[in-house]
Amino acid sequence: MIARLLLLSVLLLPIHAAEAAKKTHPPKHATPTKALELTPEGLQTGMKKYIQEEADCRSTDFGKIVPLKGARIRQQLEREGAKVNMVLDVAQSGQLTNIRFAAEVKDQAHLTLMLCATYATMRTLQPTAQPPGTVKSTVLQLWQDAQQKPSAKPFYSSTLKAQMTPFELNVY
């Protein structure tokens, strides 16, 4: 019986390895990930600048930047006890391909911080395309829609996807 199991394991090993390889490498026909035309430094500078435009957001602190495995960076935003993790995916070109804000807690303080982060990100991506009031309305509408189901909105050459479960915003 043990010999049969060993033989079966040896025979299945190449199949398992091939399946694992398929999961870790995208197919050759996949389209390349589109960059956001923004570097991590540009996002950081813009967010710190534009987050000051909203009175409720001015007390937001930006934590230490932590490199993660692969081409990812993490930073924590904090405002009045609420904490949101920001994870950036960086392409080989140095430009961002995804910005993800996530919080484990869903309450008014975390929602306010998520609104602040969304606003500052949108203003950083397109600083002159829309007046601040229009951007604020778009942010509020995005998160109101997300109360019911995940909501995605195109924003010039980017897309913003907000959802309540898990509580996060992705910009790609």
Side-chain angles (χ1 to χ4, degrees):
M1 180 71 167
I2 293 175
R4 286 183 188 170
L5 287 174
L6 285 173
L7 180 62
L8 183 59
S9 296
V10 169
L11 292 174
L12 291 177
L13 190 59
I15 295 171
H16 178 69
E19 289 299 315
K22 287 180 188 175
K23 290 179 184 174
T24 58
H25 301 293
K28 292 185 192 278
H29 57 74
T31 57
T33 305
K34 185 178 80 170
L36 294 172
E37 299 179 13
L38 189 64
T39 64
E41 296 81 14
L43 176 68
Q44 178 88 4
T45 301
M47 285 190 68
K48 285 183 175 182
K49 175 182 177 181
Y50 293 112
I51 211 156
Q52 298 300 315
E53 290 181 347
E54 288 298 316
D56 290 344
C57 302
R58 290 184 186 139
S59 61
T60 301
D61 291 321
F62 290 76
K64 186 174 139 184
I65 295 172
V66 179
L68 300 174
K69 191 174 185 178
R72 300 180 95 190
I73 299 169
R74 184 180 69 79
Q75 185 174 26
Q76 192 171 67
L77 306 180
E78 187 173 349
R79 181 192 165 276
E80 298 177 11
K83 296 178 183 178
V84 170
N85 286 315
M86 177 173 66
V87 177
L88 310 175
D89 293 333
V90 185
Q92 285 184 334
S93 66
Q95 294 184 326
L96 298 173
T97 57
N98 188 59
I99 305 166
R100 179 178 172 260
F101 298 94
E104 294 181 18
V105 178
K106 284 186 274 188
D107 61 12
Q108 188 59 43
H110 284 83
L111 180 59
T112 300
L113 182 52
M114 200 67 90
L115 290 167
C116 292
T118 305
Y119 175 84
T121 301
M122 290 175 72
R123 292 282 288 140
T124 300
L125 288 169
Q126 293 292 328
T128 59
Q130 292 182 349
T134 304
V135 174
K136 187 175 181 178
S137 296
T138 302
V139 169
L140 292 172
Q141 186 63 50
L142 174 71
W143 282 103
Q144 278 183 328
D145 293 347
Q147 298 289 324
Q148 308 303 318
K149 63 179 182 174
S151 176
K153 285 199 180 295
F155 186 71
Y156 296 90
S157 62
S158 307
T159 300
L160 291 95
K161 182 180 177 189
Q163 58 190 40
M164 299 304 286
T165 305
F167 188 32
E168 68 181 26
L169 170 75
N170 279 282
V171 182
Y172 50 92

